[in-house]
Amino acid sequence: MKPEQQMNEHATQAGRENLAEVVPPHESYEGFRLWDPNATWTAAEEKKVRWIIDLRLLTMLCFMFIGLQLDRGNLSNALTDNFLANLKLSTNDYNNGTSIQLVCFLAAEFPFQMLIKRYGFNRILPGLMTCWGLVSTFQCFITNRWSFYLTRALIGTFEGGFIPGTILCCTYYYTSTELAIRLAVFWSTLNFARILSSLLAAGFLEMRGVAGWAGWRWLFMFEGLLTLFVALIAFLALPTSPSNTKTPFSPSGWFTPKQEVIAINRVLRDDPAKGLTALKEPLTWKDVKGGWCDKSMWGLYFLGLIAYIPASPVQGYLSLTLKTIGFSTFDSNMLSIPSAALQMVLMLGLAWSSDYFKERAFHCFFGEFWCLPLLIALQTLQGNQSWSRFTLTTMIAGYPYFHPLLSAWISENSFSIKKRAVTAATYNVIVQIGSVISSQIYRNDDKPRYHRGNKVLISICCGSLAVFLIQRFYLAYLNKQKLKVWNGMTEEERIVYQGDLTAREADGNKRVDFLFKY
């Protein structure tokens, strides 16, 4: 039993879930008019509200993410259609292009996150999508290394900010026990996009020679136009906030008056800090510094840097590896589908389990450990053995992706909305830095088996597993120290402490009655 579970149930208790009665929302909070601490509703009524949000918001965000992943990931499919040879590029040129895209992606995260916080999700997210969709469409005209680098840079720039902005958007609509599984659904569309991309590639790459174009040019043009269409729908469908859901597609809004009350109050009762900041209240340097200097987040940031590296090169080179070991262009693209489907199932199952058991650290540990024996087996595999190599690479590429869990873990430990905006952007920037690192692990002089690269991946995987354990026990230690102070207070002192709203906003997750989740 955790220390926080041993407290007197009849006393004023520590923990974010016990703060709703003592932390009212600010009058500047856009849902303040709907706040009602005495409001009641049934489980069925709340389920209906949650279903409306899932159907209207989450579905739209998922379609947008499909557009992002199609435009970001179709390069892997293009590799099987002689893309490098057509543009006279080497594997190192390809790695450099990937790195340029990722560097621009991470450089744009903070500026666009600040724009999103200032002008709203419903304007900035579709605007970004329109920009990267245009660039993706005109990729069909690239002719050399420099035009390849330029389009990679622009796509990375305009896609930056989309993911942390989406995470922040979801925190306004979902409670902490609902967030991880919704983010898993969101990220599962990445795998759906991988499947869709493979199917589209299998068809469009067969158009090589039509109008004198290579198949990959048709692929880039079609997927870019598809992204632009989704962006247009998003402009018309995304609402301003849970308290203002009127859009051109829904002129009367999503909810009835009672459902509006439920939508706002269920989130505030789960996490009252969401009512302390207006939706479009801009970030300040003090907010950014607070997110960067929070030691409780450092381990999670570091995991964002290293934890996804072990599987990333295997995923990125999956289609090309399959072609190298003897499969045709069509088969290579089709055989990338099983890993995407596997990861979708495993990720959703892991996120559901994490929310159900209210546990993050060991679930993430399991997702990371999955890759270790498979990487070792891949490293020691002798000879061609096409199907054995296919099986191992598929299992690695389809590992239980725990990015939604880490994102939810960071969000629920950040306390304030402003800090969530900073920590989400910081974490995603660091994840992209990790992607830059991973894109340089498989090198031209190490192909086709990449034995040196696989040794590096195995080492990083072992290091990540250790950091997960260290972070968990560090947060448990911080909670123990907080509870030591809390349990030393009298009931009267606790009431006064919890009622000090000015200090609460200043201290955030450092308050002794705020307990970290792990």
Side-chain angles (χ1 to χ4, degrees):
M1 183 177 290
K2 295 179 182 179
E4 53 264 38
Q5 294 174 320
Q6 299 174 347
M7 299 177 64
N8 183 351
E9 293 183 359
H10 302 287
T12 303
Q13 295 188 29
R16 184 192 61 206
E17 63 276 10
N18 299 308
L19 297 176
E21 294 182 2
V22 296
V23 183
H26 282 175
E27 292 186 9
S28 62
Y29 170 58
E30 58 278 352
F32 182 78
R33 63 180 176 83
L34 300 169
W35 174 61
D36 183 357
N38 298 315
T40 59
W41 56 83
T42 65
E45 289 175 319
E46 183 172 359
K47 183 178 180 180
K48 179 68 179 296
V49 170
R50 192 164 53 241
W51 168 247
I52 291 172
I53 297 171
D54 286 344
L55 183 63
R56 292 178 177 266
L57 177 71
L58 187 61
T59 301
M60 188 68 252
L61 294 175
C62 286
F63 274 114
M64 295 175 75
F65 195 37
I66 289 173
L68 181 146
Q69 182 55 31
L70 285 178
D71 295 336
R72 184 171 61 175
N74 54 17
L75 195 58
S76 177
N77 301 116
L79 291 178
T80 64
D81 190 43
N82 300 320
F83 175 81
L84 298 182
N86 290 165
L87 297 182
K88 297 180 175 58
L89 303 177
S90 67
T91 300
N92 290 347
D93 292 328
Y94 170 77
N95 287 341
N96 291 336
T98 302
S99 296
I100 288 170
Q101 178 180 346
L102 291 172
V103 168
C104 291
F105 190 98
L106 66 90
E109 293 256 8
F110 265 102
F112 283 128
Q113 184 76 323
M114 297 180 81
L115 286 175
I116 288 169
K117 189 69 182 70
R118 180 65 182 86
Y119 296 105
F121 315 99
N122 59 321
R123 295 178 181 177
I124 303 301
L125 294 182
L128 291 175
M129 191 173 192
T130 300
C131 291
W132 87 62
L134 284 170
V135 177
S136 183
T137 301
F138 284 98
Q139 276 187 122
C140 63
F141 297 113
I142 62 177
T143 57
N144 54 40
R145 179 193 303 160
W146 301 111
S147 55
F148 168 63
Y149 286 167
L150 177 61
T151 53
R152 288 293 101 189
L154 290 174
I155 288 176
T157 298
F158 292 127
E159 288 181 346
F162 178 81
I163 292 175
T166 299
I167 296 171
L168 185 63
C169 175
C170 287
T171 64
Y172 282 96
Y173 291 85
Y174 293 110
T175 66
S176 59
T177 57
E178 299 165 353
L179 186 59
I181 186 63
R182 265 69 188 185
L183 292 180
V185 171
F186 174 71
W187 262 291
S188 71
T189 58
L190 181 151
N191 296 283
F192 177 80
R194 285 169 57 193
I195 295 173
L196 178 61
S197 183
S198 295
L199 292 172
L200 290 173
F204 280 101
L205 296 185
E206 292 297 313
M207 293 179 65
R208 171 171 281 273
V210 176
W213 272 19
W216 57 264
R217 294 187 187 277
W218 290 107
L219 180 68
F220 284 160
M221 183 177 69
F222 176 81
E223 292 186 350
L225 292 174
L226 183 62
T227 298
L228 290 173
F229 175 74
V230 175
L232 175 61
I233 301 299
F235 269 118
L236 302 173
L238 284 180
T240 302
S241 71
S243 60
N244 182 12
T245 55
K246 293 181 180 180
T247 69
F249 277 175
S250 302
S252 59
W254 295 355
F255 306 121
T256 65
K258 183 171 184 180
Q259 287 174 337
E260 280 190 320
V261 172
I262 296 171
I264 293 297
N265 286 276
R266 74 188 198 95
V267 170
L268 291 180
R269 292 181 189 181
D270 171 73
D271 187 355
K274 293 177 182 178
L276 300 180
T277 306
L279 179 69
K280 296 184 180 180
E281 185 175 335
L283 293 173
T284 65
W285 169 245
K286 182 179 179 181
D287 299 322
V288 175
K289 184 179 178 181
W292 288 352
C293 296
D294 187 346
K295 294 181 181 178
S296 67
M297 295 289 164
W298 288 358
L300 298 175
Y301 292 158
F302 187 56
L303 286 167
L305 178 69
I306 64 173
Y308 308 113
I309 291 177
S312 293
V314 180
Q315 284 181 326
Y317 279 83
L318 180 59
S319 297
L320 186 60
T321 299
L322 292 174
K323 189 174 183 181
T324 301
I325 60 179
F327 293 103
S328 68
T329 297
F330 180 86
D331 290 342
S332 296
N333 282 292
M334 288 296 97
L335 288 174
S336 67
I337 292 176
S339 64
L342 175 64
Q343 187 170 81
M344 192 184 304
V345 173
L346 292 176
M347 176 170 54
L348 290 171
L350 192 69
W352 179 87
S353 177
S354 178
D355 276 351
Y356 181 82
F357 290 105
K358 297 180 173 61
E359 199 283 332
R360 302 297 189 208
F362 288 131
H363 282 79
C364 293
F365 183 93
F366 171 77
E368 184 75 9
F369 183 78
W370 175 283
C371 295
L372 184 58
L374 296 170
L375 285 169
I376 294 173
L378 186 63
Q379 173 68 5
T380 57
L381 187 65
Q382 300 295 323
N384 193 29
Q385 300 189 53
S386 298
W387 287 107
S388 296
R389 195 168 295 278
F390 161 73
T391 301
L392 289 173
T393 54
T394 295
M395 293 290 287
I396 295 170
Y399 79 110
Y401 193 46
F402 46 85
H403 194 14
L405 275 65
L406 261 177
S407 297
W409 193 0
I410 287 174
S411 176
E412 62 195 2
N413 282 344
S414 296
F415 185 70
S416 73
I417 286 292
K418 282 188 174 184
K419 192 168 189 177
R420 280 189 178 96
V422 174
T423 55
T426 302
Y427 166 71
N428 276 280
V429 165
I430 293 172
V431 169
Q432 299 310 316
I433 294 173
S435 297
V436 173
I437 296 171
S438 71
S439 71
Q440 298 295 330
I441 290 178
Y442 279 2
R443 302 297 295 174
N444 202 47
D445 61 351
D446 194 28
K447 68 179 186 182
R449 302 292 182 245
Y450 302 109
H451 287 300
R452 184 182 67 231
N454 288 333
K455 289 179 182 178
V456 173
L457 298 180
I458 292 169
S459 300
I460 293 175
C461 187
C462 291
S464 299
L465 292 171
V467 176
F468 273 119
L469 296 178
I470 293 170
Q471 177 67 11
R472 186 195 185 280
F473 291 114
Y474 176 60
L475 293 180
Y477 167 78
L478 292 179
N479 281 357
K480 185 176 180 180
Q481 296 300 108
K482 288 185 175 189
L483 287 171
K484 184 177 180 181
V485 176
W486 180 258
N487 290 331
M489 294 181 180
T490 65
E491 181 66 13
E492 291 74 19
E493 288 173 331
R494 293 178 183 179
I495 293 173
V496 172
Y497 183 85
Q498 286 197 330
D500 190 346
L501 300 183
T502 301
R504 180 171 303 285
E505 291 187 46
D507 296 340
N509 62 1
K510 295 182 176 65
R511 300 285 284 179
V512 298
D513 58 346
F514 181 93
L515 300 178
F516 293 108
K517 303 295 183 181
Y518 53 82

